[in-house]
Amino acid sequence: MTQNTERQKIAVIAGGGPAGLTAAYELLRQTDVKPIVCEKTARIGGISQTVEYHGNRMDIGGHRFFSKSDKVMNWWQEIMPMQAKPSKDDILLDEREKEFAKEGPDPEREDRTMLVRRRVSRIFFLRKFFDYPISMKKETFLNMGFVRMMRAGFGYLWACIHKLPEDSLENFYINRFGRPLYEMFFEDYTAKVWGVHPSKLGADWGSQRVKGLSIRAVLKDMMQKAFGKKDGKEVETSLIEQFIYPKYGPGQLWETVAKDVESMGGEVKMETEVVSVEVENGNVTLVTLKHADGSEEKITCDYFLSTMPIKDLVPAIKGVNIPDNVLRIADELPYRDFITVGLLVNKMKIRNETKLRTYAGRVPDTWIYIQERDVKIGRLQVFNNWSPYLVKDYENTMWIGLEYFCTEGDELWNMPADAFIEMAKGELAKIDIIDAGDVLDACHVKIQKAYPAYYGSYYELDKVREFLDTIPNLFCLGRNGQHRYNNMDHSMLTAFETVDAIKSGKISDKSLIWNVNTETEYHESK
């Protein structure tokens, strides 16, 4: 074991995702504190990583680079400048981008470029496509059929005059869309994501992810488009039409930030886990790390920034009495895990029937929400449409990602990779999206604790927060660090607030850090 004896102030950062790396970068830029980033896995970026497989790149979960925070947008484009903004017709993959993609991925050449992409997400239900969010277009009513359309209309009108108490996610959605639309487009999908019926989930999740989204918001958006009065600052984030995106996926940006952190004098330790956090005289003074080879390292520190799951952080704290109820609440915090199957296919059976231009008539979607009740898949990503550079042979193949939500230890999580891939192929064939015989290659990726869940002991989390806030130089930031379903920009904002607190010396009040993504006027949604 080695003992760190540097006199320079040290901040140990547990986690190499957006929150941890943003904090490290800003500490180096704004303070004299040296950050040491400890990433438990072999990949940078957390859930915002990019996985490479046989020359194809996979975005885990899908990450649109869009924020209502100018600070975040400017920060991203400082790290990776945006390409010259294309015309409206050039945002999607088309003949020009076919030429653009011929270079193919070149991991040896650093290319810090953000692409401008058009956001297309749709719902696949009744073996048909519906806009997401649901639109008031003629196609929507035709796909629904007359009976469903009438039920949806009357259900929405009833919801407008008869509001339910928003004590569950189910009631949250019903109040905004009416019961028939909720049952068609939200109930089953939400149960897939969380493994719990929406009536058992708190409304908190909806208020964070789709705060202002409703039929009224959709209609307002349509009117603004019609009269050319749309303002990106005012539009509900679920309705955004464009976003920026790194050429080689989200992991490229965070890998770039990690390199910059090291070049600026910080450290990034991969496959390094924080196993204990020593508190002395009320502050964190020593952190024990465990490396991939099993060896341990102790580092003295002045600040400890945790993006690790609260479930893991609390029992790792030593040298201070932890109340039994805090230990229990942390131990029982629920999470949902995530499995992605990458399929390389010759073609997809579904074709572009929109008015948008696409290469070779392919569907334009970045991802598709699968609402069919006879399959387990939750979402389908089309990586060709995120960036042509994610696909080794963009012209002749399609690289797609099948997303499944599960809980560590359940049937899906424990299924052998080969069996899981065969199941996934069979599901897409069953709902007529591909022919199983068109699959050329496949991979299987698991992500632990991808989604902090909003049920169970989550509703006692304030007691854990109160305890953690008694340690002035311990900061909880990011998605798992706060057990909050944050997106990248929210995680980054928690990092900005943390660095501001360290810089100003006002570290006893953590309210600004915890309050990120709780304001009613600011939200993000995938």
Side-chain angles (χ1 to χ4, degrees), residues 140-153:
T140 302
F141 300 129
L142 291 175
N143 286 347
M144 274 190 191
F146 180 77
V147 174
R148 287 191 184 92
M149 180 185 72
M150 294 302 292
R151 285 186 64 239

Side-chain angles (χ1 to χ4, degrees), residues 460-520:
E460 301 177 86
L461 188 59
D462 59 325
K463 297 180 178 64
V464 179
R465 172 184 166 179
E466 288 171 7
F467 165 74
L468 294 172
D469 283 353
T470 63
I471 306 173
N473 68 340
L474 185 155
F475 299 86
C476 294
L477 55 157
R479 175 179 281 196
N480 276 327
Q482 296 190 335
H483 200 86
R484 184 174 293 149
Y485 196 168
N486 288 331
N487 274 353
M488 275 191 302
D489 58 338
H490 300 129
S491 294
M492 293 171 63
L493 288 167
T494 64
F496 290 145
E497 293 291 353
T498 297
V499 173
D500 286 347
I502 291 172
K503 183 180 177 181
S504 67
K506 299 176 180 178
I507 63 174
S508 58
D509 183 4
K510 310 290 190 359
S511 59
L512 290 177
I513 302 169
W514 285 103
N515 287 343
V516 168
N517 194 23
T518 61
E519 304 87 345
T520 57

Side-chain angles (χ1 to χ4, degrees), residues 54-303:
H54 293 174
N56 297 294
R57 287 170 167 75
M58 187 158 55
D59 181 346
I60 301 297
H63 292 85
R64 300 188 186 101
F65 284 68
F66 173 86
S67 178
K68 290 190 175 183
S69 165
D70 289 336
K71 186 172 184 178
V72 170
M73 292 294 289
N74 292 336
W75 196 92
W76 280 331
Q77 291 179 62
E78 180 181 320
I79 302 296
M80 296 182 68
M82 184 173 66
Q83 68 175 26
K85 191 169 182 179
S87 67
K88 184 176 181 181
D89 287 339
D90 291 335
I91 293 172
L92 270 178
L93 302 184
D94 56 22
E95 292 299 325
R96 281 187 57 195
E97 228 168 280
K98 171 184 171 182
E99 299 300 320
F100 192 48
K102 277 185 178 178
E103 307 165 40
D106 184 358
E108 302 302 321
R109 175 172 54 83
E110 184 175 46
D111 188 349
R112 298 189 177 199
T113 305
M114 284 278 199
L115 307 178
V116 180
R117 316 307 298 147
R118 176 179 290 280
R119 176 249 173 98
V120 181
S121 297
R122 291 184 293 171
I123 296 168
F124 193 70
F125 177 56
L126 304 173
R127 303 320 197 240
K128 298 174 183 177
F129 279 106
F130 294 82
D131 288 342
Y132 176 81
I134 293 298
S135 69
M136 298 295 105
K137 295 179 182 177
K138 178 180 70 175
E139 291 80 6
T140 302
F141 300 129
L142 291 175
N143 286 347
M144 274 190 191
F146 180 77
V147 174
R148 287 191 184 92
M149 180 185 72
M150 294 302 292
R151 285 186 64 239
F154 284 115
Y156 173 65
L157 291 174
W158 177 251
C160 288
I161 60 176
H162 182 71
K163 294 296 182 184
L164 298 173
E166 292 201 350
D167 53 6
S168 70
L169 185 58
E170 179 175 66
N171 287 356
F172 176 92
Y173 280 132
I174 291 172
N175 281 345
R176 284 154 183 76
F177 297 94
R179 184 173 292 277
L181 282 176
Y182 156 73
E183 291 175 347
M184 279 190 275
F185 296 109
F186 295 97
E187 183 178 27
D188 187 65
Y189 181 77
T190 303
K192 279 185 183 181
V193 173
W194 297 110
V196 175
H197 191 269
S199 63
K200 305 296 183 184
L201 291 168
D204 309 50
W205 187 85
S207 64
Q208 270 191 248
R209 304 296 287 187
V210 288
K211 284 186 178 76
L213 186 60
S214 64
I215 294 293
R216 185 175 300 176
V218 172
L219 291 172
K220 178 182 175 182
D221 180 73
M222 292 172 64
M223 293 298 292
Q224 287 178 328
K225 287 180 186 176
F227 291 99
K229 296 182 178 180
K230 194 156 182 179
D231 182 348
K233 287 287 185 180
E234 296 179 359
V235 66
E236 299 303 333
T237 311
S238 295
L239 302 173
I240 65 165
E241 295 182 337
Q242 296 180 19
F243 59 93
I244 55 176
Y245 192 76
K247 290 175 71 171
Y248 298 110
Q252 182 193 7
L253 183 136
W254 298 113
E255 290 159 12
T256 299
V257 174
K259 291 177 184 176
D260 289 350
V261 165
E262 292 183 311
S263 68
M264 294 161 70
E267 290 184 50
V268 178
K269 297 175 178 284
M270 301 302 296
E271 297 183 89
T272 299
E273 179 181 6
V274 173
V275 293
S276 74
V277 180
E278 304 287 342
V279 176
E280 184 178 345
N281 297 323
N283 281 294
V284 177
T285 57
L286 185 73
V287 175
T288 302
L289 311 177
K290 185 176 182 179
H291 300 294
D293 62 3
S295 64
E296 291 190 348
E297 176 183 8
K298 294 185 181 293
I299 297 181
T300 56
C301 63
D302 301 279
Y303 307 98

